[in-house]
Amino acid sequence: MLAAAGALRPGYRRSPARVRATKEAMLREYERAQNPQEVREDAGTGDGLDEPEIHREEMDLPGGGHLVLTDIEAITPERAEKTAARIARILQSSEERDRLS
C-alpha cells in the first residue's frame, strides 16, 4: 500500500522496464496455473521412499505393566526381552526412589 501511495505523489514516473518485468512475471504465473505439469503414472515407485513396514511387539512387564515396542526394523525376541528388562529396571529404581523420599 505504501508503494501504491508513493506512486500517487507528483512527479512520480513508473519505470517501463519494471512494468514490463512485472507483466511478464504475472503472465508466466498465470500460464503455470492454467497448465499444471503432467503427473507421471509411475511416480512414487522405485524411488526408495515406499511406506516402511512397522513391526510391533507387546509384552507384559513385572508388576502389571504393559510394554508396546514398535520399530521399522524387525523386533527379535532377544531385543524385546532386553528392552523389557531395561524398562523393568527403570521402573523398579524409580519406585525405590519414591519410597525413599
Side-chain angles (χ1 to χ4, degrees):
M1 287 182 53
L2 292 176
L8 297 175
R9 73 173 189 258
Y12 175 79
R13 295 187 54 139
R14 297 189 315 173
S15 165
R18 289 188 75 184
V19 170
R20 188 171 39 259
T22 302
K23 183 178 179 182
E24 289 171 1
M26 178 188 66
L27 291 175
R28 271 194 315 272
E29 281 302 307
Y30 177 78
E31 182 70 27
R32 187 184 67 79
Q34 295 301 313
N35 301 309
Q37 290 183 343
E38 291 183 23
V39 176
R40 290 185 359 228
E41 291 199 21
D42 65 339
T45 58
D47 58 3
L49 299 175
D50 297 330
E51 191 71 29
E53 181 182 353
I54 303 294
H55 302 276
R56 179 184 170 108
E57 184 77 29
E58 296 187 26
M59 305 181 71
D60 291 324
L61 294 173
H66 190 74
L67 176 65
V68 179
L69 298 172
T70 56
D71 200 342
I72 58 173
E73 295 178 3
I75 301 172
T76 62
E78 296 83 26
R79 183 174 164 211
E81 290 295 328
K82 185 177 177 183
T83 304
R86 188 177 307 138
I87 298 294
R89 273 196 315 273
I90 291 170
L91 291 173
Q92 185 179 9
S93 67
S94 67
E95 287 174 1
E96 289 174 3
R97 273 187 263 140
D98 288 345
R99 278 189 232 125
L100 293 175
S101 42

